mmCIF file of all heavy atoms in Angstrom:
data_model
loop_
_atom_site.group_PDB
_atom_site.id
_atom_site.type_symbol
_atom_site.label_atom_id
_atom_site.label_comp_id
_atom_site.label_asym_id
_atom_site.label_seq_id
_atom_site.Cartn_x
_atom_site.Cartn_y
_atom_site.Cartn_z
ATOM 1 N N LEU Y 1 0.867 -1.209 0.015
ATOM 2 C CA LEU Y 1 0.026 -0.015 -0.010
ATOM 3 C C LEU Y 1 0.899 1.223 0.029
ATOM 4 O O LEU Y 1 1.895 1.286 0.694
ATOM 5 C CB LEU Y 1 -0.984 -0.007 1.161
ATOM 6 C CG LEU Y 1 -1.877 1.263 1.277
ATOM 7 C CD1 LEU Y 1 -2.926 1.278 0.149
ATOM 8 C CD2 LEU Y 1 -2.632 1.196 2.605
ATOM 9 N N ASP Y 2 0.479 2.199 -0.795
ATOM 10 C CA ASP Y 2 1.171 3.548 -0.823
ATOM 11 C C ASP Y 2 0.052 4.571 -0.827
ATOM 12 O O ASP Y 2 -0.892 4.565 -1.626
ATOM 13 C CB ASP Y 2 1.977 3.606 -2.131
ATOM 14 C CG ASP Y 2 2.789 4.878 -2.147
ATOM 15 O OD1 ASP Y 2 3.196 5.408 -1.086
ATOM 16 O OD2 ASP Y 2 3.140 5.304 -3.304
ATOM 17 N N LEU Y 3 0.107 5.394 0.188
ATOM 18 C CA LEU Y 3 -0.849 6.594 0.292
ATOM 19 C C LEU Y 3 -0.042 7.829 0.237
ATOM 20 O O LEU Y 3 0.906 8.112 1.074
ATOM 21 C CB LEU Y 3 -1.596 6.540 1.639
ATOM 22 C CG LEU Y 3 -2.441 5.293 1.856
ATOM 23 C CD1 LEU Y 3 -3.019 5.241 3.267
ATOM 24 C CD2 LEU Y 3 -3.566 5.182 0.825
ATOM 25 N N ASP Y 4 -0.309 8.685 -0.775
ATOM 26 C CA ASP Y 4 0.436 9.943 -0.942
ATOM 27 C C ASP Y 4 -0.515 11.133 -0.807
ATOM 28 O O ASP Y 4 -1.598 11.165 -1.487
ATOM 29 C CB ASP Y 4 1.114 10.008 -2.327
ATOM 30 C CG ASP Y 4 2.341 9.126 -2.416
ATOM 31 O OD1 ASP Y 4 2.997 8.949 -1.387
ATOM 32 O OD2 ASP Y 4 2.598 8.696 -3.590
ATOM 33 N N LEU Y 5 -0.187 12.094 0.067
ATOM 34 C CA LEU Y 5 -0.893 13.296 0.199
ATOM 35 C C LEU Y 5 -0.509 14.166 -1.054
ATOM 36 O O LEU Y 5 0.608 14.684 -1.179
ATOM 37 C CB LEU Y 5 -0.462 13.990 1.464
ATOM 38 C CG LEU Y 5 -1.185 15.344 1.801
ATOM 39 C CD1 LEU Y 5 -2.673 15.256 1.762
ATOM 40 C CD2 LEU Y 5 -0.667 15.840 3.115
ATOM 41 N N ILE Y 6 -1.496 14.408 -1.918
ATOM 42 C CA ILE Y 6 -1.294 15.141 -3.141
ATOM 43 C C ILE Y 6 -1.491 16.576 -2.894
ATOM 44 O O ILE Y 6 -0.753 17.498 -3.366
ATOM 45 C CB ILE Y 6 -2.156 14.541 -4.307
ATOM 46 C CG1 ILE Y 6 -1.913 13.075 -4.527
ATOM 47 C CG2 ILE Y 6 -1.933 15.352 -5.550
ATOM 48 C CD1 ILE Y 6 -0.399 12.743 -4.800
ATOM 49 N N ASP Y 7 -2.586 16.972 -2.370
ATOM 50 C CA ASP Y 7 -2.991 18.362 -2.046
ATOM 51 C C ASP Y 7 -3.829 18.477 -0.800
ATOM 52 O O ASP Y 7 -4.566 17.600 -0.497
ATOM 53 C CB ASP Y 7 -3.805 18.873 -3.310
ATOM 54 C CG ASP Y 7 -4.033 20.377 -3.215
ATOM 55 O OD1 ASP Y 7 -3.372 21.123 -2.492
ATOM 56 O OD2 ASP Y 7 -4.972 20.803 -3.907
ATOM 57 N N LEU Y 8 -3.554 19.482 -0.093
ATOM 58 C CA LEU Y 8 -4.315 19.815 1.203
ATOM 59 C C LEU Y 8 -4.838 21.173 1.087
ATOM 60 O O LEU Y 8 -4.211 22.178 1.548
ATOM 61 C CB LEU Y 8 -3.383 19.617 2.388
ATOM 62 C CG LEU Y 8 -3.911 19.924 3.761
ATOM 63 C CD1 LEU Y 8 -5.031 18.941 4.093
ATOM 64 C CD2 LEU Y 8 -2.835 19.764 4.829
ATOM 65 N N ASP Y 9 -6.026 21.303 0.470
ATOM 66 C CA ASP Y 9 -6.659 22.581 0.245
ATOM 67 C C ASP Y 9 -5.776 23.689 -0.264
ATOM 68 O O ASP Y 9 -5.859 24.852 0.120
ATOM 69 C CB ASP Y 9 -7.287 23.029 1.652
ATOM 70 C CG ASP Y 9 -8.480 22.197 2.032
ATOM 71 O OD1 ASP Y 9 -9.253 21.731 1.149
ATOM 72 O OD2 ASP Y 9 -8.638 21.954 3.275
ATOM 73 N N GLY Y 10 -4.923 23.320 -1.282
ATOM 74 C CA GLY Y 10 -4.115 24.310 -1.873
ATOM 75 C C GLY Y 10 -2.936 24.807 -1.074
ATOM 76 O O GLY Y 10 -2.207 25.743 -1.526
ATOM 77 N N VAL Y 11 -2.702 24.182 0.027
ATOM 78 C CA VAL Y 11 -1.477 24.630 0.884
ATOM 79 C C VAL Y 11 -0.174 24.444 0.102
ATOM 80 O O VAL Y 11 -0.039 23.364 -0.568
ATOM 81 C CB VAL Y 11 -1.421 23.812 2.216
ATOM 82 C CG1 VAL Y 11 -0.087 23.981 2.919
ATOM 83 C CG2 VAL Y 11 -2.551 24.128 3.119
ATOM 84 N N MET Y 12 0.685 25.416 0.093
ATOM 85 C CA MET Y 12 2.029 25.294 -0.463
ATOM 86 C C MET Y 12 3.055 25.230 0.548
ATOM 87 O O MET Y 12 3.048 26.088 1.398
ATOM 88 C CB MET Y 12 2.241 26.377 -1.483
ATOM 89 C CG MET Y 12 1.348 26.199 -2.717
ATOM 90 S SD MET Y 12 1.801 27.360 -4.092
ATOM 91 C CE MET Y 12 0.980 28.808 -3.531
ATOM 92 N N ARG Y 13 3.838 24.177 0.507
ATOM 93 C CA ARG Y 13 4.778 23.947 1.658
ATOM 94 C C ARG Y 13 6.013 23.241 1.098
ATOM 95 O O ARG Y 13 5.938 22.207 0.452
ATOM 96 C CB ARG Y 13 4.161 23.133 2.676
ATOM 97 C CG ARG Y 13 4.887 22.531 3.835
ATOM 98 C CD ARG Y 13 3.896 21.810 4.680
ATOM 99 N NE ARG Y 13 4.555 20.784 5.484
ATOM 100 C CZ ARG Y 13 4.519 20.664 6.784
ATOM 101 N NH1 ARG Y 13 3.622 21.427 7.452
ATOM 102 N NH2 ARG Y 13 5.108 19.730 7.398
ATOM 103 N N ASP Y 14 7.204 23.866 1.252
ATOM 104 C CA ASP Y 14 8.451 23.285 0.722
ATOM 105 C C ASP Y 14 9.214 22.376 1.744
ATOM 106 O O ASP Y 14 9.938 21.524 1.375
ATOM 107 C CB ASP Y 14 9.397 24.374 0.293
ATOM 108 C CG ASP Y 14 8.901 25.147 -0.872
ATOM 109 O OD1 ASP Y 14 8.256 24.523 -1.756
ATOM 110 O OD2 ASP Y 14 9.037 26.386 -0.922
ATOM 111 N N ALA Y 15 8.937 22.554 3.064
ATOM 112 C CA ALA Y 15 9.564 21.765 4.088
ATOM 113 C C ALA Y 15 8.887 22.085 5.376
ATOM 114 O O ALA Y 15 8.252 23.167 5.513
ATOM 115 C CB ALA Y 15 11.055 22.047 4.210
ATOM 116 N N PRO Y 16 8.917 21.246 6.340
ATOM 117 C CA PRO Y 16 9.409 19.829 6.344
ATOM 118 C C PRO Y 16 8.324 18.963 5.629
ATOM 119 O O PRO Y 16 7.333 19.510 5.181
ATOM 120 C CB PRO Y 16 9.464 19.468 7.801
ATOM 121 C CG PRO Y 16 8.468 20.318 8.439
ATOM 122 C CD PRO Y 16 8.335 21.601 7.664
ATOM 123 N N ASP Y 17 8.594 17.623 5.626
ATOM 124 C CA ASP Y 17 7.589 16.771 4.978
ATOM 125 C C ASP Y 17 6.247 16.887 5.695
ATOM 126 O O ASP Y 17 6.226 17.105 6.881
ATOM 127 C CB ASP Y 17 8.114 15.281 5.083
ATOM 128 C CG ASP Y 17 8.965 14.925 3.951
ATOM 129 O OD1 ASP Y 17 9.040 15.596 2.954
ATOM 130 O OD2 ASP Y 17 9.690 13.830 4.072
ATOM 131 N N PRO Y 18 5.237 16.823 4.915
ATOM 132 C CA PRO Y 18 5.101 16.607 3.473
ATOM 133 C C PRO Y 18 5.277 17.915 2.660
ATOM 134 O O PRO Y 18 4.742 18.880 3.140
ATOM 135 C CB PRO Y 18 3.765 15.993 3.315
ATOM 136 C CG PRO Y 18 2.943 16.669 4.355
ATOM 137 C CD PRO Y 18 3.888 16.851 5.539
ATOM 138 N N ILE Y 19 5.967 17.778 1.558
ATOM 139 C CA ILE Y 19 6.025 18.870 0.536
ATOM 140 C C ILE Y 19 4.642 18.912 -0.071
ATOM 141 O O ILE Y 19 4.069 17.857 -0.571
ATOM 142 C CB ILE Y 19 7.110 18.703 -0.447
ATOM 143 C CG1 ILE Y 19 8.487 18.630 0.257
ATOM 144 C CG2 ILE Y 19 7.089 19.689 -1.477
ATOM 145 C CD1 ILE Y 19 9.634 18.238 -0.585
ATOM 146 N N LEU Y 20 4.087 20.091 -0.200
ATOM 147 C CA LEU Y 20 2.708 20.279 -0.799
ATOM 148 C C LEU Y 20 2.736 21.344 -1.775
ATOM 149 O O LEU Y 20 3.399 22.403 -1.575
ATOM 150 C CB LEU Y 20 1.682 20.573 0.293
ATOM 151 C CG LEU Y 20 1.412 19.426 1.227
ATOM 152 C CD1 LEU Y 20 0.579 19.933 2.384
ATOM 153 C CD2 LEU Y 20 0.738 18.294 0.537
ATOM 154 N N PRO Y 21 2.062 21.216 -2.920
ATOM 155 C CA PRO Y 21 1.405 19.935 -3.292
ATOM 156 C C PRO Y 21 2.528 18.889 -3.557
ATOM 157 O O PRO Y 21 3.739 19.260 -3.625
ATOM 158 C CB PRO Y 21 0.684 20.235 -4.581
ATOM 159 C CG PRO Y 21 1.382 21.455 -5.098
ATOM 160 C CD PRO Y 21 1.852 22.179 -3.939
ATOM 161 N N HIS Y 22 2.137 17.636 -3.690
ATOM 162 C CA HIS Y 22 3.086 16.505 -3.884
ATOM 163 C C HIS Y 22 4.021 16.975 -4.995
ATOM 164 O O HIS Y 22 3.572 17.329 -6.079
ATOM 165 C CB HIS Y 22 2.416 15.215 -4.206
ATOM 166 C CG HIS Y 22 3.295 14.039 -4.298
ATOM 167 N ND1 HIS Y 22 4.124 13.842 -5.293
ATOM 168 C CD2 HIS Y 22 3.435 13.060 -3.392
ATOM 169 C CE1 HIS Y 22 4.774 12.705 -5.040
ATOM 170 N NE2 HIS Y 22 4.468 12.292 -3.901
ATOM 171 N N PRO Y 23 5.377 16.916 -4.808
ATOM 172 C CA PRO Y 23 6.331 17.446 -5.837
ATOM 173 C C PRO Y 23 6.316 16.738 -7.161
ATOM 174 O O PRO Y 23 6.874 17.312 -8.078
ATOM 175 C CB PRO Y 23 7.666 17.326 -5.095
ATOM 176 C CG PRO Y 23 7.454 16.249 -4.132
ATOM 177 C CD PRO Y 23 6.036 16.258 -3.696
ATOM 178 N N ARG Y 24 5.871 15.547 -7.284
ATOM 179 C CA ARG Y 24 5.910 14.859 -8.590
ATOM 180 C C ARG Y 24 4.528 14.518 -9.165
ATOM 181 O O ARG Y 24 4.387 13.919 -10.258
ATOM 182 C CB ARG Y 24 6.783 13.602 -8.529
ATOM 183 C CG ARG Y 24 8.259 13.946 -8.313
ATOM 184 C CD ARG Y 24 9.069 12.720 -7.963
ATOM 185 N NE ARG Y 24 8.685 11.925 -6.729
ATOM 186 C CZ ARG Y 24 8.783 12.335 -5.491
ATOM 187 N NH1 ARG Y 24 9.390 13.468 -5.215
ATOM 188 N NH2 ARG Y 24 8.335 11.553 -4.498
ATOM 189 N N ALA Y 25 3.477 14.866 -8.482
ATOM 190 C CA ALA Y 25 2.126 14.492 -8.852
ATOM 191 C C ALA Y 25 1.820 14.956 -10.277
ATOM 192 O O ALA Y 25 1.218 14.271 -11.138
ATOM 193 C CB ALA Y 25 1.127 14.988 -7.930
ATOM 194 N N HIS Y 26 2.233 16.189 -10.609
ATOM 195 C CA HIS Y 26 1.943 16.782 -11.914
ATOM 196 C C HIS Y 26 2.606 16.065 -13.088
ATOM 197 O O HIS Y 26 2.265 16.373 -14.206
ATOM 198 C CB HIS Y 26 2.277 18.335 -11.946
ATOM 199 C CG HIS Y 26 3.727 18.559 -11.802
ATOM 200 N ND1 HIS Y 26 4.496 18.412 -10.655
ATOM 201 C CD2 HIS Y 26 4.680 18.926 -12.750
ATOM 202 C CE1 HIS Y 26 5.680 18.698 -10.804
ATOM 203 N NE2 HIS Y 26 5.887 19.011 -12.037
ATOM 204 N N LEU Y 27 3.568 15.163 -12.833
ATOM 205 C CA LEU Y 27 4.293 14.506 -13.867
ATOM 206 C C LEU Y 27 3.795 13.095 -14.127
ATOM 207 O O LEU Y 27 4.277 12.430 -15.049
ATOM 208 C CB LEU Y 27 5.829 14.419 -13.424
ATOM 209 C CG LEU Y 27 6.522 15.765 -13.163
ATOM 210 C CD1 LEU Y 27 7.889 15.473 -12.641
ATOM 211 C CD2 LEU Y 27 6.572 16.545 -14.499
#
């Protein structure tokens, strides 16, 4: 199982984990 937080109400966060939005989701 893998659960990844992709977006949390548009929060932008570079550190610490989790980085938001997920840094590779758009790819």
Side-chain angles (χ1 to χ4, degrees):
L1 181 63
D2 188 25
L3 298 174
D4 286 330
L5 178 56
I6 303 301
D7 189 18
L8 179 59
D9 289 326
V11 168
M12 289 190 278
R13 172 180 157 128
D14 293 321
D17 274 344
I19 297 169
L20 292 170
H22 188 284
R24 291 170 303 284
H26 66 286
L27 303 172

